Amino acid sequence: MSEQELRSIVVGFDGSEPSHRALAWATRQGQVTGAPVEVLTTWQWPTNYGYAMAFETTYRPDDVAREMVEEVVRKAASEHRDVTFFAHVVEGEPRNVLVDRSSEAEMLVLGCRGHGELTGMLLGSVSGYCVTHAHCPVLVVRD
């Protein structure tokens, strides 16, 4: 399979420690398979009980998300020159964006929040939703 035919390993990244562990796992998988690693983050305007919150007019959540993911991709690429990394920033609810992106991915890799066995299974969990709705294999990296 040529490099152009390789599908990306998509990592859901939110800056948390679990998402850093997911990126580390995906990087190792990219080294083994030659697949590129796409670091995907989402953003939304923050809300409070369904209403948009007031922010300074200069606040741009899309810029904050883009800076975060581009920084982590720069660092990963400098440490792992044998893996191709891409940064991807999308507006939307994380679980929906990840499931949509999974239709063109080799694998979806997510971190686990680690709130314990019971709370990790509660409905509404991004990883739980992706496990049941993704169009590709999903790996949830635990502690």
Side-chain angles (χ1 to χ4, degrees):
M1 184 178 275
S2 76
E3 194 169 318
Q4 292 175 333
E5 295 171 325
L6 287 176
R7 293 175 150 219
S8 295
I9 299 167
V10 175
V11 181
F13 192 85
D14 64 4
S16 66
E17 186 56 38
S19 68
H20 279 277
R21 286 193 294 274
L23 176 56
W25 192 96
T27 298
R28 289 189 299 276
Q29 186 70 8
Q31 289 171 320
V32 171
T33 64
V37 175
E38 176 183 334
V39 184
L40 186 148
T41 194
T42 66
W43 68 273
Q44 294 178 290
W45 282 101
T47 59
N48 186 16
Y49 300 108
Y51 297 97
M53 297 171 67
F55 290 95
E56 291 188 31
T57 58
T58 58
Y59 177 68
R60 296 283 315 254
D62 53 332
D63 288 343
V64 172
R66 187 172 283 81
E67 288 171 17
M68 175 191 67
V69 77
E70 287 177 354
E71 179 181 329
V72 78
V73 164
R74 271 193 303 276
K75 183 175 187 236
S78 71
E79 294 174 356
H80 304 280
R81 297 189 185 278
D82 54 342
V83 178
T84 302
F85 292 91
F86 298 99
H88 196 172
V89 179
V90 179
E91 179 182 9
E93 204 280 322
R95 65 188 196 165
N96 295 331
V97 170
L98 290 164
V99 167
D100 286 347
R101 184 65 191 100
S102 74
S103 66
E104 297 178 16
E106 181 70 24
M107 173 181 271
L108 180 59
V109 183
L110 305 167
C112 178
R113 286 286 179 199
H115 293 297
E117 298 267 336
L118 179 61
T119 57
M121 290 192 247
L122 293 176
L123 292 176
S125 161
V126 171
S127 60
Y129 185 86
C130 290
V131 164
T132 58
H133 292 87
H135 306 283
C136 67
V138 178
L139 178 83
V140 180
V141 178
R142 298 190 57 84
D143 291 345

